[in-house]
Amino acid sequence: MGELWDKLTELSNSDMYPFHMPGHKRNIDTGMSTDLFFDRDITEIDDFDNLHDASSLLYTCQKRANDLYKAGETFFLVNGSTCGVLSAVSAVAGDGDTILTARNCHKSLFHAAYLRNLNLKYLYPENTSGFGFCGPVSPDDVADALMNNTEVKAVFITSPTYEGVYSDIRKIADIAHSHGLPLIVDEAHGAHLDIAEGMPEGAIAQGADIVIHSLHKTLPSVTQTALLHVNGDLVDRDRLKRFLRIYQSSSPSYLMMASIDDCITYMMQHGDEYAKALLSYHDQILDVAGRLRHLEVPGYSVVNDPCKIVISCRNTSITGTQLYDILRSRYGLQPEMACESYVLMIITGMDTQKGIERLIEALEDIDGAIESKIDEFDSETDHELNPDCISEGYFENDHEVNTKDNSEANNESDIRHERLTRSISLRNAWDREHEYIPLDSAPGRVAGDFVNLYPPGIPLVVPGEEISADLIKAIKEDLDKGLNVQGIEQKSLIRVVV
């Protein structure tokens, strides 16, 4: 176990009586279903340090995480990667400043821009090979955007993306640094990178100044646990720590911090085993994918990250949401999410061989029946979609996936790459008086709220941007497909600025 968990266990086994928070008083005999956690759930008491001024136990735990990731300094996050993004952006830019950012970033980046009253200058990711999701950010686009530009204070990139696409962080970091600018990388989905033999290189090693990791996404740690790493001297670390204190709870969970420390300890001891298992599972899936006739699982040339398995049905008789239902209802396999033309599965080194074999068998079975036995699948699937698991579609190709071939998909106009005109700043638009109007009346009006598909929460429209007719058409199509569109009231009304 990690040092912090062992210390909590020692306290639990002692006769020290808690006349302090939390209110459960470490009593595990309440009969509550969750009281098994109470005996190690504490607040900041003697011998347990303070996350916001770590100098002993928690300092040592954070140092251990830093030893694993080899950054300049590492901080525990108990409010998820979201608070890391908020803190990172706030530390490098202030009121009225400009950030150069990829348009397909998580909504926490846009929330940081709102809180700090920032201007956002967008980079638009490259298209992928017709699979319906964003590719990498081009270093050339970064260089072009920064040429003769003195207003940008920092560069912000997401890599890997939700579907596992890497950008060339080393080149982007070099370009940013040549202008004296820090590079922030939202690597929430890449906590496994560069920490064991065989794992791809991560953003820390490639020169990023701030890197944010969600441990719980791909490593063995509880939900909401994350890390923030800082390198070099382009970021004021005292300023960064100030914002970490602002955006994190003043009562951080010791159970969550113990989970972080335990995860780090586990990966230091078993990281190579984790990596070997993950790569083996990924290779097994790609091997069977090469024999499929209808379903497609893009390999490393498209989906770079070994933790992400995209199962595309773009040229088949079923949709991504139908495939999602079939996997879940018929085979007992819960995907991460579904889009119009693909399903996303997350695998890690903590999966089991039996689980991987179940997925492989399901892919072979579905692929063999996808044309001639689709009615059988329909009859055994209720198609009641879980809205919290159906998403992304952001910047997704707007094409009929069941009738067009790959070349047609590649040439299709991509509505979600449309570059909307910003008329009002994000903060002013979000704070200004607003009204709700029917979707059909919205073209030409200025958005007063975010509209996004969730997960992963990447905005289709940002407050202050002018709403286009094509965007409304895409939103209505997403609603018709049963996708989880956030920011639309009663499935027909959108908030606009008065």
Side-chain angles (χ1 to χ4, degrees), residues 40-64:
R40 290 172 177 81
D41 184 26
I42 63 170
T43 188
E44 295 90 343
I45 58 176
D46 289 345
D47 300 326
F48 281 89
D49 210 355
N50 186 312
L51 178 64
H52 299 299
D53 189 24
S55 60
S56 54
L57 177 60
L58 296 180
Y59 175 85
T60 301
C61 293
Q62 291 183 137
K63 178 64 168 59
R64 185 163 33 252

Side-chain angles (χ1 to χ4, degrees), residues 332-461:
L333 302 173
Q334 175 65 67
E336 168 70 12
M337 67 90 174
C339 282
E340 179 185 0
S341 61
Y342 65 89
V343 166
L344 177 65
M345 316 291 272
I346 294 180
I347 64 170
T348 77
M350 306 306 293
D351 278 294
T352 65
Q353 181 62 37
K354 182 178 179 180
I356 299 301
E357 289 173 356
R358 284 180 59 191
L359 175 58
I360 288 173
E361 291 171 3
L363 292 179
E364 292 178 321
D365 193 15
I366 296 169
D367 188 72
I370 208 165
E371 288 187 331
S372 60
K373 296 184 180 180
I374 184 61
D375 289 340
E376 175 188 346
F377 286 129
D378 283 343
S379 65
E380 298 184 15
T381 307
D382 58 17
H383 295 298
E384 291 182 4
L385 308 183
N386 179 349
D388 292 330
C389 299
I390 299 198
S391 143
E392 168 171 36
Y394 63 91
F395 304 134
E396 178 183 335
N397 285 337
D398 184 28
H399 60 270
E400 295 296 326
V401 296
N402 298 324
T403 60
K404 297 183 180 180
D405 64 21
N406 299 353
S407 61
E408 288 178 298
N410 281 329
N411 294 327
E412 188 74 33
S413 173
D414 192 339
I415 177 59
R416 289 179 177 81
H417 275 126
E418 184 183 12
R419 307 186 181 198
L420 301 174
T421 300
R422 184 189 301 115
S423 298
I424 307 173
S425 73
L426 193 166
R427 175 181 281 185
N428 287 340
W430 216 4
D431 286 347
R432 188 174 291 191
E433 183 182 357
H434 67 272
E435 62 180 335
Y436 287 94
I437 64 173
L439 288 171
D440 289 335
S441 302
R445 297 294 297 271
V446 175
D449 202 350
F450 291 95
V451 177
N452 56 261
L453 295 170
Y454 193 85
I458 295 171
L460 301 176
V461 63

Side-chain angles (χ1 to χ4, degrees), residues 2-298:
E3 181 181 0
L4 181 53
W5 182 260
D6 289 342
K7 187 76 173 175
L8 291 169
T9 301
E10 179 183 329
L11 176 65
S12 175
N13 294 333
S14 74
D15 62 358
M16 185 74 71
Y17 188 87
F19 283 106
H20 56 75
M21 296 185 294
H24 53 63
K25 297 301 188 83
R26 303 206 314 268
N27 183 349
I28 60 173
D29 297 319
T30 66
M32 298 170 63
S33 59
T34 57
D35 68 9
L36 72 164
F37 301 114
F38 287 174
D39 64 337
R40 290 172 177 81
D41 184 26
I42 63 170
T43 188
E44 295 90 343
I45 58 176
D46 289 345
D47 300 326
F48 281 89
D49 210 355
N50 186 312
L51 178 64
H52 299 299
D53 189 24
S55 60
S56 54
L57 177 60
L58 296 180
Y59 175 85
T60 301
C61 293
Q62 291 183 137
K63 178 64 168 59
R64 185 163 33 252
N66 184 257
D67 290 342
L68 177 63
Y69 284 97
K70 300 178 176 59
E73 195 170 358
T74 297
F75 302 95
F76 282 8
L77 304 178
V78 294
N79 288 43
S81 284
T82 292
C83 77
V85 171
L86 295 175
S87 300
V89 172
S90 297
V92 301
D95 189 63
D97 286 339
T98 298
I99 296 284
L100 178 64
T101 179
R103 182 59 176 80
N104 64 325
C105 287
H106 186 263
K107 61 183 178 180
S108 57
L109 177 278
F110 297 90
H111 292 167
Y114 168 78
L115 290 169
R116 300 291 285 159
N117 195 27
L118 304 180
N119 299 311
L120 298 178
K121 183 179 177 66
Y122 292 138
L123 297 162
Y124 290 86
E126 299 173 354
N127 290 320
T128 54
S129 303
F131 284 101
F133 53 84
C134 291
V137 171
S138 166
D140 290 340
D141 288 347
V142 177
D144 290 344
L146 293 178
M147 186 178 300
N148 302 320
N149 192 315
T150 59
E151 63 184 24
V152 173
K153 298 298 183 182
V155 180
F156 190 103
I157 300 293
T158 298
S159 177
T161 64
Y162 194 47
E163 291 88 358
V165 176
Y166 299 158
S167 291
D168 191 334
I169 298 301
R170 188 180 303 280
K171 287 184 178 180
I172 294 173
D174 288 344
I175 293 167
H177 294 163
S178 71
H179 291 268
L181 303 177
L183 171 64
I184 302 170
V185 177
D186 180 353
E187 201 172 69
H189 282 266
H192 55 287
L193 299 180
D194 210 26
I195 60 173
E197 184 177 355
M199 286 291 93
E201 191 175 50
I204 295 173
Q206 294 182 68
D209 299 276
I210 298 180
V211 178
I212 299 113
H213 283 144
S214 281
L215 292 181
H216 68 93
K217 285 181 167 62
T218 57
L219 296 184
S221 191
V222 300
T223 299
Q224 205 171 306
T225 54
L227 298 172
L228 182 146
H229 314 273
V230 58
N231 283 316
D233 56 7
L234 289 177
V235 177
D236 184 330
R237 298 191 188 183
D238 287 337
R239 184 180 175 91
L240 176 64
K241 292 174 185 177
R242 180 210 307 171
F243 284 105
L244 284 171
R245 289 192 290 269
I246 290 173
Y247 293 123
Q248 293 220 81
S249 170
S250 60
S251 300
S253 166
Y254 276 80
L255 293 174
M256 293 175 68
M257 291 187 288
S259 181
I260 295 174
D261 187 46
D262 204 18
C263 174
I264 296 300
T265 301
Y266 179 88
M267 294 307 296
M268 294 181 88
Q269 296 173 350
H270 304 287
D272 289 345
E273 299 169 30
Y274 170 99
K276 183 178 179 180
L278 169 60
L279 296 175
S280 172
Y281 298 152
H282 190 268
D283 288 347
Q284 290 176 55
I285 294 170
L286 287 189
D287 182 62
V288 73
R291 301 192 298 271
L292 299 178
R293 297 175 57 241
H294 307 295
L295 296 175
E296 300 172 82
V297 180

